[in-house]
Amino acid sequence: MLKKDDQVTIEIEDIGTDGAGIGKADGYTLFVKDAVIGDIIKAKVIKAKKTYGYARLMEIITPSKDRVEPVCPVARQCGGCQIQQMSYSAQLKYKQKLVRDNLARIGGITDCEVLPVIGMENPFNYRNKAQYPVGRNKDGKVVIGFYAGRTHSIIPQTDCLIQHECNKQIVETVLEFMKKYKVTAYDEKKNKGIVRHILTRVGKTTGEVMVCLIINAKKLPYPEEFVEMIRNCGINLEIKSITVNINREKTNVILGEKIETLYGHSYIEDYIGDIKYRISPLSFYQVNPEQTKKLYQTALEFADIKESEVVWDLYCGIGTISLFMAQTAAKVCGVEIVPQAIEDAKQNAELNHMTNTEFFVGAAEDVVPTQYEKSGGKLRADVVTIDPPRKGCDEKLLETVVKMAPSRIVYVSCDPGTLARDVKVLVERGYEVKRVRACDMFGGSFHVETVVGLQRKSM
């Protein structure tokens, strides 16, 4: 058995769920960050367990045919892009295999084809939302960038190549403001200092920009000067919203509940397809608008909604999927736990002159069973769409969905593992998987968004 600090030469044979390469030394499995299938490498063991361990890539002896030079100079240190060293075509094949393997291993689903992943035309500068942590380095200097993998150590970087190009100027302007007016950076160990994070959103279609400072204070010092500097930061887009978000808790949660508007509106607007959406700092909105359109079109195709049918959209956010479905359905009911998101969803329905929607505030696992009980078991849905957070669905919710007896269920997921777990529950309760397709929303990372279409077996 290998031990810590041992060095070995191995060939990478597979990629794990977190993007790390997998190889074997005398039958002992090693996970190696930054390695690509086909690489022959020298690696140093950094943690050894009984049957497997973790190793650091020390030298690439023979590079894989799928290995490319990362475009970002800090790709290896930063925790954001785990597989940027893999060619984009290889990334898509890896994500397809990741979905297929999870469905088979966790869900026991092997008899349904996993269609090729819907890829991007350009896997860079695609994100419409950025969250930059702000802190100090060992020398006490203010740093803004991104967390190194599995840490809260900030890698200084203002020019992230998967974010919108305008962010560099915005972030550097915030840094200039902090230096000029001696506004302190947050120290999470001491829970002191003011600026915790910088959040930006960019409307891909509208060109509207939101800048939100998350602060550990009741008010931002020099707010007028901050607004003036941001409005004149030199980007070629419209600064539509400048806000501060108050978060004075000692927590890893980025956003607090209170938002103060310093300039413009508390929201920006953008389109997915022909549908306009109003987006606030607290709203969940997919980060890749071009791919989101393809994702939702896939969900709509799998749903196959008829004009007379009722749809329940669970974990609806600001109504993105709900409004897509409402274009075809007789009625759509959306459920979301975040009150501000539901307000946005209602406003988004009004913006698009859609009167066939109804939205409920609350946890889906509470609201849907409650509504079902209130109806005396009469609550029905022809189609249910589910787009839960990474942790997946509460089993109580899945049981209620089955009682509602929809003919079709469309499950949209950002985590292949919890997707497979939940789909297994639905299959065991009378549904069969008809179609599976992933959409690459997050080029350069191991994350993947997947749509699964299920149908009741009695249909």
Side-chain angles (χ1 to χ4, degrees):
M1 175 179 153
L2 294 175
K3 60 184 185 299
K4 187 178 178 182
D5 295 331
D6 282 350
Q7 293 203 27
V8 293
T9 298
I10 58 173
E11 180 174 357
I12 300 301
E13 300 171 350
D14 203 353
I15 299 285
T17 55
D18 62 353
I22 302 173
K24 291 188 176 181
D26 296 327
Y28 185 81
T29 300
L30 286 171
F31 293 86
V32 188
K33 182 180 173 292
D34 305 311
V36 176
I37 292 176
D39 280 343
I40 297 174
I41 64 168
K42 185 179 287 184
K44 181 180 179 180
V45 179
I46 55 176
K47 184 185 287 187
K49 300 200 172 188
K50 190 173 181 180
T51 58
Y52 66 94
Y54 299 90
R56 179 178 292 114
L57 175 61
M58 303 301 289
E59 180 186 347
I60 300 168
I61 298 169
T62 305
S64 164
K65 63 178 176 58
D66 293 322
R67 175 171 283 280
V68 296
E69 186 65 29
V71 176
C72 176
V74 297
R76 190 168 177 184
Q77 302 102 293
C78 178
C81 291
Q82 306 86 4
I83 57 172
Q84 206 180 96
Q85 70 281 356
M86 192 187 297
S87 72
Y88 188 57
S89 60
Q91 289 182 31
L92 297 181
K93 289 176 184 175
Y94 157 67
K95 293 181 183 187
Q96 182 184 18
K97 182 177 182 296
L98 186 65
V99 172
R100 184 171 57 240
D101 288 354
N102 273 274
L103 285 172
R105 180 173 55 84
I106 300 170
I109 298 156
T110 58
D111 57 351
C112 183
E113 180 187 7
V114 177
L115 297 167
V117 178
I118 302 170
M120 303 183 213
E121 291 181 16
N122 175 24
F124 294 99
N125 299 120
Y126 58 82
R127 287 185 62 98
N128 60 13
K129 176 187 177 184
Q131 293 177 151
Y132 292 81
V134 181
R136 291 187 179 274
N137 63 15
K138 293 177 181 177
D139 300 324
K141 183 181 178 182
V142 176
V143 289
I144 298 174
F146 299 97
Y147 291 130
R150 303 180 187 277
T151 76
H152 269 211
S153 175
I154 299 173
I155 304 296
Q157 180 70 352
T158 59
D159 189 15
C160 175
L161 296 176
I162 63 170
Q163 306 289 356
H164 196 284
E165 296 95 327
C166 75
N167 283 329
K168 182 176 187 294
Q169 289 157 281
I170 292 171
V171 170
E172 289 179 354
T173 300
V174 174
L175 188 57
E176 183 186 346
F177 164 77
M178 291 177 67
K179 288 177 180 177
K180 184 174 181 179
Y181 293 101
K182 295 181 174 55
V183 178
T184 56
Y186 182 65
D187 183 329
E188 64 178 18
K189 291 181 180 177
K190 298 177 181 177
N191 196 30
K192 291 183 178 179
I194 294 177
V195 182
R196 300 176 70 130
H197 277 80
I198 305 163
L199 181 147
T200 67
R201 290 185 186 266
V202 183
K204 184 75 174 181
T205 302
T206 61
E208 297 179 0
V209 177
M210 171 189 294
V211 179
C212 177
L213 277 197
I214 294 88
I215 62 172
N216 176 45
K218 291 181 179 179
K219 290 189 177 181
L220 176 70
Y222 303 98
E224 286 143 6
E225 289 80 357
F226 176 68
V227 167
E228 186 68 18
M229 289 181 72
I230 292 296
R231 289 188 64 198
N232 293 287
C233 67
I235 63 173
N236 294 320
L237 298 171
E238 181 186 5
I239 302 285
K240 193 72 178 284
S241 171
I242 303 175
T243 62
V244 289
N245 175 266
I246 313 299
N247 183 359
R248 305 190 70 189
E249 302 296 321
K250 190 172 175 59
T251 175
N252 288 336
V253 176
I254 293 174
L255 290 164
E257 294 181 0
K258 185 179 178 183
I259 294 172
E260 180 185 347
T261 303
L262 301 181
Y263 169 80
H265 301 288
S266 60
Y267 59 86
I268 61 170
E269 293 178 340
D270 199 17
Y271 286 84
I272 298 175
D274 295 328
I275 300 175
K276 182 189 284 188
Y277 296 95
R278 182 170 290 182
I279 311 147
S280 71
L282 294 175
S283 299
F284 172 77
Y285 186 70
Q286 291 282 5
V287 300
N288 188 332
E290 290 182 2
Q291 290 299 101
T292 298
K293 180 181 177 183
K294 298 173 188 176
L295 179 78
Y296 290 171
Q297 285 173 336
T298 302
L300 192 58
E301 179 188 339
F302 285 12
D304 189 26
I305 300 167
K306 311 299 188 294
E307 288 184 3
S308 61
E309 291 185 322
V310 174
V311 178
W312 275 76
D313 180 21
L314 312 183
Y315 307 97
C316 70
I318 63 170
T320 45
I321 293 180
S322 302
L323 300 190
F324 252 69
M325 300 295 176
Q327 295 176 102
T328 308
K331 184 176 182 180
V332 177
C333 298
V335 183
E336 171 59 49
I337 195 169
V338 180
Q340 180 59 54
I342 286 293
E343 286 306 308
D344 287 345
K346 292 176 180 177
Q347 289 175 351
N348 288 333
E350 288 180 17
L351 272 177
N352 293 279
H353 310 293
M354 291 183 175
T355 57
N356 59 337
T357 59
E358 185 175 1
F359 295 99
F360 299 88
V361 177
E365 56 267 29
D366 295 330
V367 170
V368 177
T370 299
Q371 291 295 321
Y372 184 81
E373 288 169 13
K374 277 185 179 178
S375 73
K378 295 179 181 179
L379 182 66
R380 288 288 179 269
D382 299 292
V383 178
V384 169
T385 60
I386 309 173
D387 186 6
R390 194 169 301 282
K391 67 179 181 179
C393 290
D394 186 286
E395 193 160 346
K396 179 183 172 186
L397 172 66
L398 293 176
E399 293 286 0
T400 307
V401 167
V402 171
K403 288 178 184 176
M404 291 167 70
S407 60
R408 297 173 303 286
I409 299 172
V410 178
Y411 194 127
V412 181
S413 172
C414 60
D415 187 291
T418 55
L419 166 72
R421 180 200 69 200
D422 292 348
V423 167
K424 181 181 181 182
V425 172
L426 294 170
V427 167
E428 288 171 348
R429 285 154 179 76
Y431 286 83
E432 62 180 329
V433 176
K434 302 297 287 185
R435 304 172 81 180
V436 181
R437 187 156 203 184
C439 183
D440 187 28
M441 309 281 286
F442 318 102
S445 85
F446 62 77
H447 298 291
V448 62
E449 201 88 15
T450 309
V451 184
V452 175
L454 301 102
Q455 186 167 310
R456 204 165 77 243
K457 285 181 183 177
S458 59
M459 296 296 294

Coordinates of all heavy atoms in Angstrom, one line a residue, residues 7 27 56 61 82 86 298 387:
Q7 N 6.0 8.7 -4.5 CA 5.8 9.2 -5.9 C 5.7 8.0 -6.8 O 6.5 7.0 -6.7 CB 7.0 10.1 -6.3 CG 7.0 11.4 -5.6 CD 7.8 12.5 -6.3 OE1 7.9 12.5 -7.5 NE2 8.3 13.4 -5.6
G27 N -2.6 -1.7 -8.5 CA -3.9 -2.0 -8.1 C -4.5 -1.0 -7.1 O -5.7 -1.1 -6.8
R56 N -1.0 14.5 -6.1 CA -0.8 15.7 -6.8 C 0.0 15.5 -8.1 O 1.0 14.7 -8.1 CB 0.0 16.7 -5.9 CG 0.3 18.0 -6.6 CD 1.1 19.0 -5.7 NE 0.2 19.4 -4.6 CZ 0.4 19.1 -3.3 NH1 1.5 18.4 -2.9 NH2 -0.4 19.6 -2.4
I61 N 4.4 13.0 -18.2 CA 5.4 12.3 -19.0 C 5.0 12.2 -20.4 O 5.7 12.6 -21.3 CB 5.7 10.9 -18.4 CG1 6.2 11.1 -16.9 CG2 6.7 10.1 -19.2 CD1 6.3 9.8 -16.1
Q82 N -12.4 23.0 -13.2 CA -11.6 21.8 -12.9 C -11.1 21.0 -14.1 O -10.2 20.3 -14.0 CB -12.5 20.9 -12.0 CG -13.1 21.5 -10.8 CD -14.5 22.2 -11.1 OE1 -15.0 22.1 -12.2 NE2 -15.0 22.9 -10.1
M86 N -8.8 19.9 -20.5 CA -9.4 18.9 -21.3 C -10.0 19.6 -22.6 O -10.7 20.6 -22.4 CB -10.5 18.1 -20.6 CG -10.9 16.8 -21.2 SD -12.3 16.1 -20.2 CE -11.6 15.8 -18.7
T298 N -35.4 21.9 -24.6 CA -35.4 20.4 -24.4 C -36.4 20.0 -23.4 O -37.1 19.0 -23.6 CB -34.0 20.0 -23.9 OG1 -33.0 20.4 -24.9 CG2 -33.9 18.5 -23.8
D387 N -37.2 21.1 -10.9 CA -35.8 21.6 -11.1 C -35.2 22.0 -9.7 O -35.1 23.2 -9.3 CB -35.9 22.8 -12.0 CG -34.5 23.4 -12.4 OD1 -33.5 22.7 -12.0 OD2 -34.4 24.4 -13.0

